[in-house]
Amino acid sequence: EPVLAAMRARAPVDLRVNVLKTTSDAARVALARDGVLVEPHPLAPNALRVVENPRGVAASRAYTQGMVELQDVSSQLVAALAGAAPGMTVLDFCAGGGGKTLALAAAMQGRGRLLAWDANPRRMADLPDRARRAGASVRILERAELDRLGRRCDLVLVDAPCSGTGAWRRKPEGKWRLSPDELALYPPLQDAILDEAATHVRPGGRLVYATCSLLAEENEDRAAGFASRHPDWAREGERRLSPLDGGDGFYLAAFRAPRRT
């Protein structure tokens, strides 16, 4: 099984060029000055793969000045496919550490409203500092603000909690920790998160569901479940990514809210 063989290899180190601050060419030059050699990766628009001296990234000027962010190329593509654009109101509904939040900020080119929420606010502890370094404007919501938000967002991204099977190269211990009982907890949680996130999408707006899982019960089955619970929402395609595509395993499905009159 080629995917399983790829999962046993060491995960590559990928960078996303932060277009709020620089260009791909300028970032490559700045990294090279600090001894970090990179090459463009075709999977995502502003992706660079480190080919020499990955340990030098964190101390490099390009990184400390916010020209690049550490982000797996599949994760970058998910953020790009979400479809954030300048002027939108965008909500990252399971923001976590904020990697995709910052990618959405770059896609919005500093115009619009970018909101971040996570059920566990501690996961977002580093996001204010990361956003400052990136030159990104992000509003981190508290529960009361989320409750008041209503159906205002042009785009809501749900990067849902999952088994993490697509990222086992980075966290190999996950293979031994994932039990059938634990796996069974995720689908109902994913359904509940999707249904709640949908309440913040404006009429005609977009809801994007993503996981870093390779398992159909967390991916296609959840998208099908949402479609059956919300038959008036239009499906706008899906995308599966495995390590054979160059990055972690990911899944993405997009839905369009009905344009109620």
Side-chain angles (χ1 to χ4, degrees):
E1 173 69 57
V3 172
L4 291 177
M7 291 292 264
R8 284 194 287 271
R10 182 187 286 267
V13 175
D14 298 325
L15 305 173
R16 178 181 56 78
V17 176
N18 176 18
V19 296
L20 293 174
K21 289 211 160 180
T22 191
T23 64
S24 188
D25 287 346
R28 288 172 73 182
V29 170
L31 286 161
R33 282 199 189 116
D34 287 326
V36 179
L37 299 187
V38 295
E39 56 189 27
H41 194 288
L43 191 63
N46 299 298
L48 301 174
R49 175 147 294 173
V50 180
V51 292
E52 204 171 298
N53 192 19
R55 290 178 189 278
V57 171
S60 69
R61 187 175 66 90
Y63 180 76
T64 58
Q65 294 187 358
M67 297 168 77
V68 295
E69 291 285 341
L70 284 157
Q71 188 176 20
D72 171 78
V73 69
S74 293
S75 176
Q76 294 184 44
L77 181 62
V78 166
L81 292 174
M88 281 185 172
T89 295
V90 175
L91 171 61
D92 188 353
F93 194 73
C94 300
K100 292 187 184 66
T101 315
L102 298 180
L104 296 170
M108 294 167 69
Q109 298 170 23
R111 302 202 297 281
R113 285 177 76 210
L114 178 57
L115 312 171
W117 157 259
D118 198 285
N120 179 356
R122 284 191 306 251
R123 291 194 195 111
M124 300 187 289
D126 294 337
L127 182 51
D129 283 343
R130 293 184 70 187
R132 264 193 295 279
R133 192 179 71 223
S137 176
V138 181
R139 181 171 180 81
I140 295 175
L141 298 182
E142 295 181 4
R143 180 82 232 186
E145 294 174 292
L146 180 72
D147 291 342
R148 288 197 302 269
L149 182 61
R151 299 183 181 273
R152 270 201 214 140
C153 301
D154 301 289
L155 167 67
V156 177
L157 172 63
V158 175
D159 181 15
C162 70
S163 64
T165 46
W168 274 352
R169 291 185 302 181
R170 290 173 204 290
K171 299 172 185 165
E173 70 281 1
K175 287 180 219 175
W176 319 117
R177 286 196 186 147
L178 183 65
S179 66
D181 286 349
E182 188 195 341
L183 180 58
L185 298 174
Y186 284 112
L189 176 64
Q190 290 154 350
D191 288 347
I193 289 171
L194 258 178
D195 287 346
E196 186 184 352
T199 68
H200 299 297
V201 181
R202 69 160 173 79
R206 198 160 195 249
L207 176 67
V208 174
Y209 173 72
T211 74
C212 58
S213 172
L214 297 170
L215 305 176
E217 56 260 51
E218 297 186 274
N219 295 341
E220 290 85 355
D221 295 356
R222 302 287 54 79
F226 181 84
S228 68
R229 293 192 305 279
H230 303 269
D232 49 346
W233 287 60
R235 294 192 68 160
E236 289 200 329
E238 59 187 351
R239 181 82 183 259
R240 285 169 218 83
L241 295 162
S242 86
L244 298 180
D245 296 300
D248 288 348
F250 262 94
Y251 172 81
L252 175 144
F255 300 88
R256 181 72 60 179
R259 297 178 191 277
R260 293 190 195 85
T261 49

